[in-house]
Amino acid sequence: MARRPPRGRTPAPRAAAGLRIRMYNVGFGDCFLLFVPTSNGVRKIVIDCGSIKKKSRELREIAASLIDDCRDPDGKARIDILIASHRHLDHITGFTHPDWAEVEVGEVWMPWVESPDDPRALAIRHAQNRAAVALERAASRLGLQGVVDTALNARSTDDGLKALHAGFALRAEPRFFPAGDGVVEKIESTLLPGIDVFVLGPPNNRQALKDDTAPPGQTLLTGLLAAEDDDDEDKFQPLTRDWIEGNLALEDRLRDEAGFQDAVSRIAAYKLLAAKLDAEINDTSLILIFRIGEDYLLFPGDAQWGPWELALGNRRAIDLLEKVTFIKIGHHASHNASPASLFRDHLGQRNARQNIVHAMISMTPHGSFPNIPHTKLIQELTNRQFPFVNSDKLTGALPPGFTRNGDLWFEFAFD
Amino acid sequence: MFTCLSHDIIAHEVTHAIVHRLRPYFLEPTNVDVLAFHEAFSDIVALFQRFSYRDLLVEYIQNARGNLLESKMLVELAQQFGYARGSGKPLRSAIGVEASKVDLKKTIEAHDRGAILVSAVFDGYSRAFQNRIADLIRIATGGSGELPRGRLQQDLVNRLATEASQLAERFLRMCFRAFDYMPPVDVTFGDFLRALVTSDFELNPEDREEVRYGVIEAFRERKIFPTGVHSLAEDSLLWPNQVNGPIPQLESHIMDLARQLLARSASALDQVSSPRRKRREKEPSAAAGFDAPSPIQTYQQSVIESEVEESERDLDFAKDLNKKMAIQLQQYADDNRSLLGLGAQHDVACRGFHAVHRVGADQRLIIELVAQFMQTDKTRTETLGGIPFRAGATVIFDSEGNVRYIASKPMVDANLPADLQRAAAARLKSAELCVEALDCRDPTMPFADEEYLAQRMKLRAQFRALHEGLGHG
């Protein structure tokens, strides 16, 4: 085990020179482009391209810029590794842009739950999709726009996914990780000579991805799925059709106290289910650590507590996390994606940069997520003197090492 | 499946209500055991209720003959009972898990964690059952212990069922009695073990059937250890009678009041004044010249309880006597703060007081007075996600006003002795860790607004049933 380097003495590691991490300002979503120095020239890695709420520019414009930024001198856009962290729209909708069809992508990486022929992956996707469909139907009847949005974010019908599976111009066969059961797995890729990539999630077991399973046929939403025609569906509505369509006089509606109570409890239940579904899909995120020279870059997607609990209970994972020098803050700086114990006890505590970790946050305020960014997390980064940028802040001085290109992107390079 | 009509569900939910009535602060998750205890206790009651119906057992025992000699039989029977608990998860998931496979540290969710406590108590029951039936089996098999082929003799089956149901009733009573010995706040599984052992020790000091021993072993195997005890020996588990020097006995003016209260609660148990008996004798109670309260009413009147959160000293009691008693007890606790492990800073409130009459194994009448004291520090409410930091003590007095036992949850206070300060600091730490643990596991955190964040620990206690009822399996 390496000893903690004394603060302020160790010279900055040189191997990462030329490394640049670019965060496009997509609003509420993620889109990252890494320029990675290797023994065989600079390689380009893209992690996610999606948004569900723009900040200043349209996503398609940003996607076009990114593609342009990846052009080689011959005019061809080439990306060595293209990674989709998980299926949420705010990470993949950008891949629907038609220009992607001409991009030559070396390898496409996705979490194992997206594998088209793994029966366990299929079962998970099927269950999540059913829940999303039912939830959307239920919530739209009650006019719960926030829940509808969450459900839509989880639907797997998106064209972005199709593009990823199709492999772009070179028809690259997607690779799915982790392939085995280990908490930490090393990814081998000939496209990244001299670079190590470790995958810490999603866990390759059902339990960590979904913490409780209600007995089949006992769930609140099963009815909505079973209902084929509208008559049946009424059974699962808290309020009668007359109530919804306004056939009842207002005072009669107000008198329907039981109907009200039922509606209120269902609304609470739907909101909770939406949150659970959201977390469950976030937990399918690839958690990647890139070792470049002595730097360790952590890209955890939107992974929440389930995978983190596993990783934080594993010596090898902790060993890697303690070496981290850069982190993409998970899930747009929500509370659950950055466990207190990760920051307090491990992150970067034995790294090569005097235990300082640089960070990037990609977000803009979103009505459904009042607790994003989580104030305590921002406070923690500040207290720990971790230099960071938030894509939502387009003015003001940036910490050393960070640059801004108007409202298009932020970039970080170790000095 | 009409879950609302299931016996187990009703027993489970009613028990929740009873627990809440007796210990309202057991809905405040100040450590990871609190909500789990609420669930577990309700499951335990539902389970032993079922087992106390002898006729239900008869048929099963006849069929399960093969497993009769192993503890497996009761587990399997329990698994057949009760499709669903309040959580929507079957009761069977709570029992029959091998002790070695239990991971108490990592099991946080209230129902799952509660299941560990249920399995520990049920394991104690299974052990006691095997002890009890050993002689019956020997008699029935001529000493060989080998059961003959074919159907069991019906007499034997009936006797086994009787043993199982009587033992279930004994466990039910044991668990209910233990409640008097529970601290008023911040309960842990270890506290329940200590309360079980202490209350049962009072009634059956000898434990000839090794019932307590079996329960302690079952807890030990699941690594449920109370804090602050050196071993799981029975002597260590009994609550102490002091935590910071001898506590003075109740003064004579309090005892005078206490005797009046005792007389009243005793009359609830008295056959002569029982309204049921009066009805049997076709003698309307009005004829006797007074409105006799039902035993329940009398009992309720003898239990002092304040619901008023804001002004804990402003106790508004229906009965003058109760009010006087509460004021006097409050004064008593105020005078003896540090001896009760309470701090110098915050008001001390008397949260409840009642008399207990029990008949011990040797037919002695045991009379005890149970008082709950509490103290609240609201300065930590924000850190603890919307619940204040509370300290408290449940004190058991004998009929002469001497302290027999104290279950103490000390306050953070620099004037208390070092060991109490350490215990208080540890309690505060587990409260903070509990907030952290539940925050991590709460999928609604990204969606949370200010209001939710400020109240989240309270809301989680209310919503946990909802959490569990959902899902899309």
Side-chain angles (χ1 to χ4, degrees):
Chain A
M1 192 185 291
R3 201 164 287 157
R4 175 183 292 232
R7 247 172 208 273
R9 288 259 205 87
T10 326
R14 243 179 266 145
L19 169 69
R20 288 183 290 150
I21 302 164
R22 183 177 292 181
M23 167 173 68
Y24 289 87
N25 181 13
V26 292
F28 198 96
D30 267 9
C31 181
F32 287 82
L33 169 60
L34 278 60
F35 297 97
V36 178
T38 71
S39 50
N40 203 3
V42 171
R43 301 291 174 148
K44 285 165 282 184
I45 301 175
V46 166
I47 304 174
D48 291 343
C49 183
S51 171
I52 49 170
K53 188 189 171 196
K54 67 165 192 169
K55 169 78 180 170
S56 39
R57 293 173 189 243
E58 295 295 336
L59 185 61
R60 57 174 177 278
E61 187 191 340
I62 294 170
S65 293
L66 181 145
I67 292 169
D68 275 346
D69 292 345
C70 293
R71 287 189 201 283
D72 286 335
D74 64 358
K76 261 256 170 253
R78 287 192 186 88
I79 291 169
D80 296 281
I81 315 270
L82 188 148
I83 299 164
S85 68
H86 65 296
R87 64 167 50 227
H88 267 146
L89 293 186
D90 58 331
H91 293 255
I92 59 165
T93 40
F95 295 120
T96 53
H97 193 286
D99 286 2
W100 280 104
E102 46 137 331
V103 178
E104 294 187 356
V105 174
E107 289 183 11
V108 175
W109 295 359
M110 285 192 265
W112 71 270
V113 289
E114 300 304 335
S115 166
D117 39 40
D118 180 333
R120 290 174 314 145
L122 270 168
I124 291 175
R125 293 204 305 273
H126 181 64
Q128 289 174 344
N129 203 40
R130 270 167 60 96
V133 170
L135 189 60
E136 190 209 328
R137 289 174 78 174
S140 54
R141 285 293 200 87
L142 286 172
L144 302 172
Q145 197 51 46
V147 175
V148 172
D149 287 347
T150 308
L152 286 175
N153 197 17
R155 293 285 295 273
S156 57
T157 50
D158 188 77
D159 291 338
L161 269 179
K162 283 186 201 140
L164 287 160
H165 281 281
F168 304 94
L170 299 177
R171 304 266 161 245
E173 187 81 15
R175 301 179 66 187
F176 302 97
F177 301 105
D181 293 334
V183 177
V184 177
E185 186 172 298
K186 202 168 162 193
I187 297 181
E188 303 293 344
S189 171
T190 51
L191 296 179
L192 295 174
I195 309 286
D196 292 325
V197 187
F198 302 93
V199 53
L200 280 66
N204 211 335
N205 81 54
R206 183 103 173 98
Q207 218 40 47
L209 289 176
K210 191 171 189 309
D211 57 356
D212 49 10
T213 312
Q218 291 294 310
T219 71
L220 187 61
L221 290 166
T222 315
L224 276 170
L225 282 170
E228 290 298 331
D229 55 73
D230 279 352
D231 288 348
D232 263 9
E233 220 172 291
D234 277 352
K235 271 189 273 183
F236 307 103
Q237 285 302 324
L239 305 169
T240 63
R241 191 169 287 275
D242 283 345
W243 214 102
I244 297 162
E245 289 168 2
N247 300 337
L248 279 177
L250 180 63
E251 52 267 36
D252 287 335
R253 274 187 272 167
L254 292 179
R255 261 200 289 275
D256 185 7
E257 213 173 290
F260 263 125
Q261 291 299 335
D262 195 12
V264 166
S265 72
R266 272 176 205 242
I267 287 169
Y270 292 158
K271 283 187 171 168
L272 183 64
L273 183 54
K276 280 192 146 189
L277 184 61
D278 204 53
E280 223 176 82
I281 292 178
N282 283 337
D283 283 350
T284 66
S285 290
L286 278 173
I287 302 177
L288 297 173
I289 292 180
F290 298 88
R291 188 211 46 82
I292 303 163
E294 288 183 66
D295 283 304
Y296 288 73
L297 321 182
L298 171 58
F299 284 83
D302 285 355
Q304 292 187 208
W305 177 246
W308 279 123
E309 186 178 22
L310 267 188
L312 292 172
N314 179 278
R315 193 56 244 172
R316 210 174 146 214
I318 285 177
D319 200 46
L320 287 167
L321 292 167
E322 292 187 340
K323 291 181 185 159
V324 162
T325 54
F326 172 91
I327 179 174
K328 187 238 39 153
I329 299 291
H331 197 212
H332 326 291
S334 82
H335 169 279
N336 315 51
S338 298
S341 51
L342 168 66
F343 277 72
R344 186 181 55 219
D345 303 333
H346 303 299
L347 191 73
Q349 292 192 357
R350 290 189 304 115
N351 79 9
R353 298 199 179 261
Q354 290 91 48
N355 304 343
I356 291 294
V357 178
H358 287 75
M360 280 178 153
I361 298 170
S362 180
M363 60 84 53
T364 196
H366 188 294
S368 297
F369 302 97
N371 196 20
I372 288 181
H374 185 60
T375 9
K376 289 235 171 83
L377 177 58
I378 304 288
Q379 196 55 52
E380 173 77 9
L381 291 173
T382 313
N383 291 347
R384 296 286 290 277
Q385 297 181 315
F386 286 178
F388 69 96
V389 292
N390 178 345
S391 67
D392 197 46
K393 303 275 179 288
L394 290 175
T395 53
L398 298 175
F402 291 94
T403 49
R404 181 165 50 212
N405 177 12
D407 60 4
L408 184 61
W409 49 250
F410 293 77
E411 203 170 83
F412 172 71
F414 289 108
D415 43 67
Chain B
M1 167 85 187
F2 297 98
T3 47
C4 60
L5 298 181
S6 148
H7 169 278
D8 308 295
I9 301 282
I10 295 169
H12 180 100
E13 297 305 330
V14 168
T15 309
H16 270 312
I18 295 171
V19 170
H20 186 55
R21 163 89 180 155
L22 296 175
R23 292 288 187 279
Y25 300 107
F26 284 10
L27 273 185
E28 293 184 344
T30 44
N31 70 64
V32 288
D33 280 354
V34 180
L35 297 181
F37 174 78
H38 228 290
E39 291 305 332
F41 194 78
S42 297
D43 274 347
I44 288 168
V45 171
L47 194 59
F48 287 130
Q49 274 278 336
R50 273 282 197 144
F51 271 86
S52 64
Y53 295 136
R54 179 180 165 280
D55 292 349
L56 283 177
L57 300 174
V58 168
E59 190 182 350
Y60 186 84
I61 291 175
Q62 180 60 266
N63 295 334
R65 56 182 306 281
N67 291 328
L68 196 56
L69 303 180
E70 304 161 35
S71 55
K72 241 168 48 184
M73 183 193 82
L74 289 176
V75 169
E76 280 176 9
L77 180 49
Q79 288 174 337
Q80 290 205 346
F81 283 166
Y83 169 71
R85 311 184 268 159
S87 65
K89 281 184 192 173
L91 187 55
R92 74 177 75 97
S93 65
I95 35 185
V97 178
E98 271 177 59
S100 60
K101 296 205 174 122
V102 164
D103 191 342
L104 192 64
K105 256 190 195 151
K106 283 198 173 162
T107 314
I108 303 292
E109 194 280 321
H111 297 87
D112 295 343
R113 194 174 174 84
I116 296 174
L117 183 61
V118 178
S119 71
V121 175
F122 193 77
D123 190 0
Y125 171 73
S126 297
R127 288 165 195 250
F129 179 71
Q130 297 301 331
N131 286 345
R132 267 200 180 198
I133 63 166
D135 58 347
L136 280 175
I137 300 291
R138 281 193 300 271
I139 294 166
T141 59
S144 75
E146 303 247 343
L147 291 167
R149 293 159 153 306
R151 277 179 70 82
L152 290 179
Q153 205 191 357
Q154 194 59 37
D155 289 338
L156 176 62
V157 172
N158 290 344
R159 286 285 288 109
L160 293 172
T162 305
E163 289 297 333
S165 77
Q166 281 178 355
L167 189 63
E169 275 181 36
R170 158 129 199 236
F171 265 76
L172 255 187
R173 280 200 305 273
M174 218 169 119
C175 291
F176 277 129
R177 278 187 205 123
F179 230 92
D180 286 328
Y181 292 70
M182 295 291 269
V185 296
D186 199 27
V187 65
T188 64
F189 288 180
D191 293 335
F192 186 53
L193 177 61
R194 296 191 75 177
L196 272 176
V197 168
T198 310
S199 72
D200 196 64
F201 175 82
E202 280 291 283
L203 296 178
N204 308 290
E206 289 188 24
D207 193 24
R208 277 206 198 96
E209 293 178 320
E210 298 196 334
V211 171
R212 281 201 298 283
Y213 177 77
V215 171
I216 292 170
E217 283 307 302
F219 274 65
R220 186 202 305 277
E221 284 181 4
R222 287 161 182 80
K223 302 192 172 56
I224 304 175
F225 301 124
T227 49
V229 297
H230 300 297
S231 77
L232 289 188
E234 191 168 282
D235 290 348
S236 308
L237 289 174
L238 293 176
W239 289 119
N241 63 2
Q242 51 174 286
V243 289
N244 181 19
I247 309 169
Q249 83 182 129
L250 292 176
E251 293 149 56
S252 59
H253 63 278
I254 303 184
M255 284 314 292
D256 288 344
L257 289 170
R259 281 188 197 102
Q260 293 177 50
L261 271 174
L262 268 174
R264 233 180 48 209
S265 70
S267 76
L269 306 169
D270 185 357
Q271 287 287 316
V272 179
S273 62
S274 147
R276 201 196 287 170
R277 179 180 165 133
K278 288 206 164 79
R279 269 200 303 280
R280 244 197 338 264
E281 291 167 359
K282 296 195 175 151
E283 188 182 284
S285 60
F290 65 98
D291 273 337
S294 73
I296 296 292
Q297 281 166 343
T298 314
Y299 177 75
Q300 281 175 349
Q301 284 162 10
S302 70
V303 176
I304 294 171
E305 195 171 75
S306 162
E307 306 288 346
V308 189
E309 167 84 25
E310 284 71 30
S311 52
E312 278 154 8
R313 282 173 167 260
D314 177 26
L315 301 167
D316 180 23
F317 294 116
K319 293 289 171 193
D320 210 31
L321 182 60
N322 283 353
K323 192 170 180 175
K324 280 188 204 149
M325 188 73 195
I327 292 168
Q328 294 298 336
L329 277 172
Q330 205 145 277
Q331 189 57 50
Y332 169 84
D334 216 11
D335 295 343
N336 297 300
R337 281 165 181 257
S338 75
L339 298 181
L340 298 171
L342 301 176
Q345 240 192 354
H346 309 276
D347 281 353
V348 176
C350 173
R351 303 303 296 183
F353 173 81
H354 66 275
V356 179
H357 301 78
R358 289 175 179 143
V359 178
D362 55 0
Q363 307 308 314
R364 282 174 305 141
L365 176 63
I366 297 169
I367 296 173
E368 287 175 340
L369 308 166
V370 182
Q372 297 178 58
F373 304 108
M374 201 189 68
Q375 207 173 30
T376 303
D377 175 2
K378 289 187 178 165
T379 61
R380 299 177 199 272
T381 305
E382 201 199 324
T383 337
L384 298 181
I387 49 176
F389 184 70
R390 300 185 201 275
T394 296
V395 184
I396 318 286
F397 300 95
D398 67 16
S399 58
E400 308 208 311
N402 300 305
V403 174
R404 287 198 50 79
Y405 299 108
I406 172 170
S408 153
K409 294 280 167 175
M411 181 49 99
V412 175
D413 189 304
N415 299 317
L416 290 174
D419 58 331
L420 290 186
Q421 282 195 47
R422 267 197 304 277
R427 290 208 306 115
L428 183 58
K429 185 81 196 153
S430 22
E432 287 164 358
L433 287 176
C434 182
V435 176
E436 190 179 311
L438 299 198
D439 276 356
C440 280
R441 289 165 176 80
D442 179 355
T444 68
M445 278 300 273
F447 301 85
D449 53 18
E450 289 290 325
E451 196 187 348
Y452 179 80
L453 287 179
Q455 296 289 324
R456 62 191 191 279
M457 291 305 276
K458 265 189 193 163
L459 293 169
R460 279 170 192 157
Q462 289 168 16
F463 278 117
R464 72 191 192 291
L466 188 63
H467 271 250
E468 286 313 299
L470 275 175
H472 46 88

